[in-house]
Amino acid sequence: MNINIFSIFPDFTKTINDWSIIKRAIEKDLVNINSIDIREFSKDRHSKTDDYSYGGGPGMIMTPQPIFDALDTVKSDIKIYMSPRGKTLDQNLLRSLMKYENISILCGHYEGIDQRVIDNLIDLEISLGDYILSGGELPAMVLVDGLVRLIPQALNNEESIINESFDRNLLEYDQYTRPKEYRGLKVPDVLIEGNHKLIKEFRLKSSLKNTLLYRPDLLEKVELDEKENAILREIIEELEYSRGGK
Ligand code: SAH
């Protein structure tokens, strides 16, 4: 996968190349990530990349010329603009982007970019959520991190993406590590006893319970089998009992 990030702050976005899973994926040649400086493509005498908004109003708008010219220099199967009005990023959207080999990501800054760029260059606008950030750089870095994790072999076995939250629209189960007891707080016995069938059941129940408690909206999107539905009813009964019983 080749990812090109277009920004006026390429030194900022470049930092993701140097850490953790992304760094390793680059070393393993699973992905190329380039941060490209839009300013270098400006034909303005002072390398300007922004100007006043036609019609007036506060703030500067990024001009089309450097962006068009910069994006012309790379092969793109999809051109994404990080934008607060775009489609909200989620795991399904990440998965749907995995089919592209060459991904270009444009980061806006200031008040945003000239609409002609969006209308004529951009294939998809992606938002991180309903809030305004100063630039598209952090959103682009979030997007890239989410994508790289999905590249086969980017994660070690022990970091496997299977069973991660949102994998099936269920949240992950509770997890514990050593020691068995800390400040009198114990790890659930079932996880220590080593009965794999019981561990699997514990995890399924924990996953269903977490989804019910934290994100009940997700349960509407997931198809539960008979056994899972039975466990879910059991969880609901237990919760009602513990609420009413005290
Ligand atoms: N005036 C614009 C906001 C501009 S913020 C508006 O009201 O919609 C400047 C840049 O930050 C944007 O061009 C975009 O690239 C990025 N940005 C800000 N918030 C974002 C979000 N929630 N998701 C993705 N990108 C965002």
Side-chain angles (χ1 to χ4, degrees):
M1 182 181 273
N2 298 303
I3 302 176
N4 289 303
I5 307 173
F6 294 85
S7 156
I8 51 169
F9 297 107
D11 288 341
F12 182 23
T13 52
K14 234 179 243 166
T15 55
I16 50 170
N17 295 18
D18 297 336
W19 304 97
S20 181
I21 289 165
I22 295 179
K23 179 180 185 206
R24 238 174 33 212
I26 294 170
E27 284 166 1
K28 286 197 231 167
D29 254 344
L30 299 172
V31 62
N32 287 310
I33 307 171
N34 300 311
S35 289
I36 297 171
D37 189 355
I38 294 172
R39 197 176 299 281
E40 282 181 7
F41 294 85
S42 172
K43 292 190 174 133
D44 176 82
R45 263 188 307 143
H46 307 287
S47 300
K48 249 173 61 157
T49 55
D50 58 287
D51 217 320
Y52 295 99
S53 181
Y54 273 127
M60 303 297 273
I61 308 297
M62 288 173 70
T63 55
Q65 178 272 316
I67 299 176
F68 269 86
D69 283 353
L71 274 138
D72 272 349
T73 61
V74 303
K75 183 171 189 296
S76 312
D77 301 325
I78 184 164
K79 301 185 202 78
I80 297 167
Y81 171 48
M82 303 313 299
S83 154
R85 71 180 183 196
K87 202 164 178 233
T88 307
L89 186 63
D90 63 16
Q91 199 64 19
N92 276 332
L93 182 50
L94 282 177
R95 273 194 287 261
S96 74
L97 294 172
M98 292 306 291
K99 61 174 178 277
Y100 299 108
E101 184 57 28
N102 302 290
I103 299 180
S104 291
I105 305 171
L106 173 62
C107 309
H109 226 93
Y110 313 116
E111 269 310 300
I113 63 177
D114 188 291
Q115 185 60 32
R116 286 167 292 184
V117 174
I118 299 171
D119 291 343
N120 297 285
L121 267 189
I122 296 300
D123 303 305
L124 178 66
E125 294 178 65
I126 296 181
S127 168
L128 233 54
D130 290 346
Y131 42 83
I132 303 294
L133 300 165
S134 336
E137 285 76 14
L138 284 168
M141 290 151 91
V142 170
L143 173 61
V144 172
D145 186 283
L147 287 173
V148 171
R149 292 179 64 77
L150 289 177
I151 300 176
Q153 283 113 47
L155 301 186
N156 291 335
N157 272 345
E158 62 265 29
E159 299 158 344
S160 160
I161 54 173
I162 299 163
N163 283 331
E164 252 181 350
S165 294
F166 307 112
D167 181 36
R168 249 188 85 196
N169 274 321
L170 287 178
L171 299 182
E172 199 176 48
Y173 43 78
D174 293 346
Q175 302 202 76
Y176 301 84
T177 184
R178 279 188 258 208
K180 279 184 196 163
E181 189 172 334
Y182 176 71
R183 296 194 180 196
L185 307 169
K186 290 187 179 144
V187 173
D189 289 336
V190 55
L191 296 177
I192 295 159
E193 284 157 3
N195 181 327
H196 292 291
K197 189 165 168 270
L198 292 181
I199 291 174
K200 221 173 141 197
E201 277 171 18
F202 171 90
R203 288 184 163 167
L204 175 60
K205 187 167 178 182
S206 169
S207 172
L208 287 165
K209 187 170 176 181
N210 284 341
T211 312
L212 178 71
L213 291 178
Y214 287 87
R215 291 291 305 278
D217 58 300
L218 291 178
L219 286 174
E220 280 157 37
K221 297 189 210 164
V222 60
E223 289 216 10
L224 300 180
D225 64 22
E226 229 172 90
K227 187 181 161 198
E228 291 166 336
N229 268 317
I231 296 173
L232 189 62
R233 278 194 300 274
E234 189 183 306
I235 294 166
I236 294 169
E237 272 165 29
E238 282 170 12
L239 289 169
E240 279 168 0
Y241 179 80
S242 68
R243 225 178 287 144
K246 278 180 190 147

